[in-house]
Amino acid sequence: LLGHPPAVVPLGALAGALFVGASSLSFVACANVGLSTAQGVWGGAAILVAFLWGTLGPTPVGLPVVSLPLSLLAAGLLLLGVAGIVKSDELGGWIEQRGVPP
């Protein structure tokens, strides 16, 4: 590092700008929908990005899909769980109104 001029990588600068924007908007999301709902949505986005990166990413990272139907089923079940987390407050109220025992 010492003795070398700093290098600016355009994709690194873009990634940094996207990160700052996403971090800034996370505060807006928390203020508008609440922390638990926002966290559920972020978790779903992270699941999708990880799935796509692992299947479509470059060779050292991404691997060929062995079973596309099972992979899509797994991703769908994970996202269904995230949807349950996001809607848990509404589901709890619905169950409470109907008098379903815990």
Side-chain angles (χ1 to χ4, degrees), residues 41-63:
V41 172
W42 295 325
I47 287 171
L48 283 178
V49 168
F51 176 77
L52 292 173
W53 190 249
T55 56
L56 303 175
T59 303
V61 175
L63 298 173

Side-chain angles (χ1 to χ4, degrees), residues 36-88:
S36 60
T37 301
Q39 184 62 41
V41 172
W42 295 325
I47 287 171
L48 283 178
V49 168
F51 176 77
L52 292 173
W53 190 249
T55 56
L56 303 175
T59 303
V61 175
L63 298 173
V65 176
V66 175
S67 172
L68 183 61
L70 286 178
S71 296
L72 293 176
L73 176 66
L77 288 173
L78 287 168
L79 292 176
L80 185 64
V82 168
I85 291 169
V86 169
K87 293 294 186 180
S88 64

